[in-house]
Amino acid sequence: QGRFTLLRDTRTDGSFLVHHFLSFYLRAGCKVCFVALLQSFSHYNIVAQKLGVSLAAAKERGQLVFLEGLKSCLDLLFGEEEQPGQPSPLQFLSGSASDLRALFDFVRVSLTPAAGDSWKGPVLLVDDLSVLLSLGAAPVAVLDFIHYCRVSVCCQLQGNVVVLVHSNEDSEDEENELVVNSLCHHSDLILWAEGLATGFCKDVHGQIKIIKRLSLRQAAEQDLVQIYQYKIQDRNVTFFAPGMSAAVL
Amino acid sequence: LVFTEEDKYGLYSNLLFKYFLAEGIVCGHDLFIASAKEHPDNILKELPAPLLDDTYGKELRDEAAAVKSEDIQDSMKIAWRYQNLPKMEASPTTYTKFGHYYDVSKKMSPELCQSVKRHSFYLHEELSFEPKMKTCNMNSGYTRLLQSIQRIISQEGFDGSDPQKKQRKVLRIGIQNLGSVLWGDDVCCNDTPEDTHSLTKFLYVLRGLLRKSLSACIITVPAHLIQNKAIMERVTNLSDMVVGLESFIGSERETNPLYKDYHGLVHVHQIPRLNSLICDVSDTKDLAFRLKRKLFTIERLHLPPDLSDTVSRASKQDLAGSAKLLSSGCGAMAIGKKHLDF
């Protein structure tokens, strides 16, 4: 409870982790607020069905609050004038406000437990944070947003936050690197999916580094780092120790 | 959203662009062409003509038959372990019926062109008017383009908003030379452009429009002119598929014996991963293209055999160095300068 997990990918696509966490938390009975900035609802729905969870049903029963960034953006730009009582969560796009306050309000409102809710712990899932920078949000605004989310979701509501970011070694995108480094320092758990250093391989899609940041909570502890390699299949992902891929054994 | 990085002189990426549009016409899809460089009508006049199935199929089969009959009886004596590996196919010899083939030397007939609805957007002809959408600090050229696309999508019912239209057609959008100076964006001329977010915002909104409707889009961008690599990274994240074309014209690779059969390389930076956990990864990532008199083909790049007698150490290292750049298969071609020590 109250954990901040950072999903990070380099040279590969780490979205399989997002799908995993989404179906994991829904199956566990948590209330999930999913800020999906990059893909449409039907994409996640189809994958989640393969993993055994129905997003549409979860939405119906109020367990899932889904913000489809692409659709929201279109509504904001091409739609009629917004109603005063319902500001768009992506308001920073239209330039009227330069911070992500509207987005944070959306998150807070969706995860605050309503009367009669029987869900275990709230969860905020964001896919993916680097897109906000591409859309013109300043890195400071993004970090502020995450900070507010942590305070409200992790500390006040004892929920979890899972965020996906992209990063690259020798990336020239300094704003992105700034955000990613800052988030790394504040995370309880980092799952870092990397493409293999030797290049593309059919049987091993990448390696994942799991960093448990014990040093965050306890002063004298060391971080625990584990490395596995993985291969993604149609319905699940198999993990194995480095060098132990089924293709080699 | 297919994002193509143009080659230096734009020759080959233009060809790819035209192929996309021609395929749309042949499949009966509607077209939307946007450009700031050439008038869309001119682009339409230059689309390659589709090849009738039988002639191309026959040509392919003849070629394949010739190749097969030669070495059917050869069994390997020294490298006999390789005998069991499947023969590597440079290009698909079995004629699969996916898509169509085009003859680059002929132009598409105007009747065929007229058979689908074409919408065009030529930046310099668009009258300036108050855009109905909120500008969100985007370059005005992009804003107008987005507005135009959105208008076509909703008017023609590609987003399913009109229940009357029963036949669901697809809209193919082609945007040429995006990000160049002609669109009013200085991202190609400046290291620190004035507005770093116009292009990425445009792509994001375009992505939203594409997801919402039955459409597919190809964009060509002069990526070699964009100095700010951060923007390229962000753009890659926002696209579904990213393909880069690198032509050998004018570069030192033109005379490199490795590449003598080809006109350029195809770099596939990203493949779409939609609606599933995995994406369709092909076996190899080394692709090269060549423009024959009639056809533009993309093939697997394979090295010609090293048959030269006078191989000095220097030239061998040269070749090895460029071979290292080619592929990064798991140890398959790990010939680096430090490994080749004999």
Side-chain angles (χ1 to χ4, degrees), chain A residues 13 15-16 19 37-40 42-43 46-47 50-51 69-70 73-74 76-78 80-81 93-95 131 133-136 166 168 171-173 175 196 198-202 232-236, chain B residues 132-138 146-147 150 196-197 200-201 204-209 211-212 227-231 233-235 237-238 240 273-278 281-285 328-331:
Chain A
D13 184 11
S15 57
F16 67 94
H19 293 299
L37 293 171
L38 208 50
Q39 300 278 17
S40 61
S42 60
H43 165 79
I46 294 180
V47 181
K50 289 188 189 169
L51 297 175
L70 292 168
C73 175
L74 288 181
L76 175 67
L77 293 180
F78 294 112
E80 301 89 31
E81 286 304 314
L93 273 180
S94 63
V131 171
L133 291 172
S134 306
L135 290 176
H166 295 298
N168 266 329
S171 153
E172 294 208 7
D173 191 347
E175 292 183 347
L196 292 178
T198 42
F200 165 70
C201 173
K202 210 166 52 146
I232 307 178
Q233 289 150 335
D234 192 40
R235 276 169 195 263
N236 70 349
Chain B
K132 270 192 248 121
M133 59 180 268
K134 311 199 182 81
T135 48
C136 66
N137 299 331
M138 211 192 314
L146 282 174
Q147 171 125 17
Q150 193 266 345
T196 42
H197 297 120
T200 42
K201 277 189 207 168
Y204 189 75
V205 181
L206 180 63
R207 193 184 164 102
L209 286 172
R211 289 282 193 272
K212 195 174 92 132
Q227 319 278 9
N228 189 336
K229 294 295 166 211
I231 295 187
E233 288 174 19
R234 291 181 182 178
V235 154
N237 277 337
L238 288 171
D240 291 318
R273 196 186 283 242
L274 282 177
N275 295 335
S276 93
L277 275 178
I278 54 173
V281 248
S282 60
D283 284 339
T284 172
K285 285 205 159 177
S328 12
C330 255

Side-chain angles (χ1 to χ4, degrees), chain B residues 5 82 95 132 188 226 258 282 294 305 318 324:
Chain B
E5 293 171 0
Y82 288 123
Y95 178 55
K132 270 192 248 121
C188 280
I226 297 185
L258 270 182
S282 60
K294 279 192 172 186
D318 260 356
K324 186 165 87 124

